[in-house]
Amino acid sequence: MISLAIDGALFNYRVAGVALLDEKVLLHKTPSDKFWSLPGGRASLFEFSKDTLVREMQEETGMNVEVGEMLWVSENFFVYNGIKHHELGFYYKMEIPSLADQNDFIGVEGDGELLFKWHPVAELSTIKIYPEFLTTELAQNPLRVKQFASGFIDLDKA
């Protein structure tokens, strides 16, 4: 996975999917996190970003997804678990053709769990989502293609 430790900090190359259905968006978090994010994960070396999203969703949820157009590119700087992160994120439209329902479910992240939940887009301002631009951008209809950059935020204190 493309995650490089450099001088006590971490560089991540992350790919995430935007699954919208019935005015809800699929988000996930670890049980200990205080914020939600879009599902996805770190790219592997020499892996196309769309393939990363397909692989990560299969690994974490067992679901096959169809990856659509790229929506956003984001450069984020944050502290998470006491470590400074520099993250480059690619965000794609994503469909889950075999989705049976929009019930909450548990996924797998290595040896841990991920909580998956369909959140009403109209209520996103009532929860913590990271990166922060997602709260505003997910409410746009239609979604707009943009590039974002954020300064340091401490997710341990969010």
Side-chain angles (χ1 to χ4, degrees):
M1 302 303 149
I2 301 177
S3 184
L4 306 170
I6 304 169
D7 296 330
L10 200 60
F11 172 81
N12 282 330
Y13 168 26
R14 184 169 191 275
V15 182
V18 179
L20 290 167
L21 183 64
D22 298 330
E23 299 182 30
K24 293 181 179 181
V25 62
L26 183 62
L27 299 175
H28 77 347
K29 70 184 216 59
T30 69
S32 63
D33 282 340
K34 299 173 187 170
F35 62 92
W36 293 88
S37 60
L38 289 168
R42 295 181 186 127
S44 291
L45 195 60
F46 306 114
E47 180 179 54
F48 286 108
S49 55
K50 285 186 173 187
D51 295 338
T52 296
L53 186 52
V54 169
R55 177 184 51 76
E56 285 288 336
M57 288 300 292
Q58 181 63 46
E59 289 174 1
E60 294 175 357
T61 69
M63 292 188 232
N64 294 316
V65 299
E66 294 177 3
V67 181
E69 70 178 315
M70 183 183 286
L71 293 168
W72 309 305
V73 173
S74 175
E75 298 173 273
N76 295 304
F77 305 108
F78 56 92
V79 176
Y80 179 63
N81 292 332
I83 300 170
K84 284 185 173 181
H85 285 69
H86 177 158
E87 181 177 88
L88 178 62
F90 289 178
Y91 296 82
Y92 287 94
K93 283 186 181 179
M94 176 176 74
E95 303 221 357
I96 309 170
S98 62
L99 186 68
D101 57 51
Q102 286 181 283
N103 293 331
D104 298 352
F105 62 95
I106 303 292
V108 178
E109 173 66 33
D111 294 336
E113 291 182 342
L114 286 172
L115 309 174
F116 285 82
K117 181 177 179 68
W118 289 91
H119 290 270
V121 172
E123 298 173 14
L124 292 180
S125 62
T126 66
I127 63 173
K128 291 185 190 280
I129 301 175
Y130 193 77
E132 294 171 327
F133 76 86
L134 293 172
T135 302
T136 302
E137 291 307 307
L138 288 167
Q140 300 300 313
N141 190 5
L143 296 175
R144 306 175 293 187
V145 176
K146 292 180 91 173
Q147 188 265 336
F148 296 90
S150 69
F152 268 103
I153 185 169
D154 191 337
L155 295 179
D156 296 334
K157 297 179 184 175

